[in-house]
Amino acid sequence: MTPLRFDGRTAIITGSGGNPSLGRAHAMLLASRGANVVVNDIGISKAPHYEGQASAEAVVAEIRAAGGRAVADTHSVAEEAGAAAIVRTALDAFGSVDIVVNNAGVSIAAAIDEMTPADFRLHIEVNLLGPYYLARAAWPHMQAAGYGRVVNITSGAMAGYANQAAYASSKGGLWSLTRTLATEGAPLGIKANAVNPGAFTRMVAATLQADSPLLEFSRDNLPPELSSPAVAFLAHESCPVTGECIESVGGEIFRHYMARTAGFTDRDHTIETIAARWDEIMAGASDGLIGLAGHDTSGWKVRAYQGNLHG
């Protein structure tokens, strides 16, 4: 099979300075296949249970040592001006912006009655507004080129997950944004897709208790590199789809999609009709939770932890 390469393409990958991290894994893979990479990370966050600090410069050094081309950027995606500056970094260094991987994110695990409004707002600013700002900043350049790829890093938590109201809500919004970008981008040569990853990262280390079985499982079985091929495929010029979401966890690859049942049609229906025909409405529906649903959530606890950690 002919290797899929990215020679001449420029990719921006946000939240890619951590190690271990999804963003770093994506950046290393794309660079190894010939892409020019803008490694973006604010670089100020440390993760409980994991030593070290995110560094865009460190990942750039790794890429260059391996023979790749990369530059560092430390602007925040949570600000419109920051997103514009990230795109400017790509244009100044490489002359184009062809791929945007919106990977930067935050996660604070807390029950709904413990999550503060400020923390909830932070999730929206980084996890949802950040991708919007960056896509919007890159859009005119992609439109002018008649080509672009946007890959948004969503999460199985967007289907709902205990102690993750803010994170799940922001990722659900990002999935809806992905679908909208796909619709608007179709006539322009721009494709937008999403990936639900699962891996041992600094974010996981930050949001799980040290003795959590989920933490141990992810550390032993879910290296970030296993989620990167799906991201790279959706970022490639040969990607055949737009508006899709691919779940990539530990070597398992699935299509994640919304669906509805056949239900029934009755313009004269009443409350009692719905009660009587409930089985028809629900026929074919699953239990609902996707991703980590069914796992013990006792390992989650409130953590005042912020930063571009999604990777």
Side-chain angles (χ1 to χ4, degrees), residues 158-178:
M158 68 187 182
Y161 196 82
N163 297 328
Q164 291 285 328
Y167 184 72
S169 297
S170 64
K171 292 301 183 178
L174 184 54
W175 167 228
S176 295
L177 176 62
T178 303

Side-chain angles (χ1 to χ4, degrees), residues 122-248:
L122 176 69
H123 286 76
I124 300 303
E125 290 172 348
V126 177
N127 298 357
L128 181 54
L129 284 176
Y132 158 70
Y133 290 146
L134 190 54
R136 189 173 186 273
W139 204 260
H141 305 284
M142 292 180 172
Q143 183 174 357
Y147 178 87
R149 296 289 184 268
V150 178
V151 183
N152 291 325
I153 305 304
T154 47
S155 170
M158 68 187 182
Y161 196 82
N163 297 328
Q164 291 285 328
Y167 184 72
S169 297
S170 64
K171 292 301 183 178
L174 184 54
W175 167 228
S176 295
L177 176 62
T178 303
R179 298 281 290 179
T180 302
L181 294 178
T183 300
E184 295 186 15
L188 307 176
I190 303 171
K191 293 184 177 181
N193 292 285
V195 171
N196 288 348
F200 175 68
T201 67
R202 297 168 68 249
M203 176 182 283
V204 171
T207 54
L208 289 173
Q209 292 185 14
D211 59 351
S212 167
L214 283 178
L215 182 62
E216 181 180 358
F217 178 83
S218 65
R219 182 187 293 114
D220 294 343
N221 298 281
L222 303 178
E225 289 75 13
L226 286 180
S227 288
S228 294
V231 173
F233 177 72
L234 295 177
H236 195 263
E237 61 187 33
S238 66
C239 174
V241 298
T242 191
E244 293 289 342
C245 181
I246 302 301
E247 196 150 317
S248 178

Side-chain angles (χ1 to χ4, degrees), residues 41-154:
D41 203 292
I42 58 175
I44 62 173
S45 300
K46 294 183 179 180
H49 308 152
Y50 203 86
E51 297 297 325
Q53 181 168 308
S55 170
E57 292 82 0
V59 175
V60 166
E62 287 188 87
I63 290 173
R64 290 177 176 174
R69 290 164 51 87
V71 295
D73 182 279
T74 58
H75 293 94
S76 172
V77 299
E79 300 172 358
E80 185 177 4
I86 296 169
V87 170
R88 176 49 53 190
T89 295
L91 295 174
D92 289 347
F94 303 117
S96 67
V97 53
D98 307 292
I99 301 163
V100 168
V101 179
N102 282 308
N103 173 78
V106 297
S107 178
I108 300 173
I112 188 64
D113 57 342
E114 296 177 317
M115 174 68 66
T116 69
D119 286 341
F120 199 102
R121 189 176 299 111
L122 176 69
H123 286 76
I124 300 303
E125 290 172 348
V126 177
N127 298 357
L128 181 54
L129 284 176
Y132 158 70
Y133 290 146
L134 190 54
R136 189 173 186 273
W139 204 260
H141 305 284
M142 292 180 172
Q143 183 174 357
Y147 178 87
R149 296 289 184 268
V150 178
V151 183
N152 291 325
I153 305 304
T154 47

Side-chain angles (χ1 to χ4, degrees), residues 259-264 277-286:
R260 65 180 183 184
T261 64
F264 70 83
R277 303 184 68 176
W278 186 250
D279 287 347
E280 291 178 63
I281 298 171
M282 299 299 292
S286 70

Side-chain angles (χ1 to χ4, degrees), residues 1-6 33 236:
M1 181 179 296
T2 303
L4 299 183
R5 294 191 57 82
F6 296 84
R33 295 299 184 97
H236 195 263

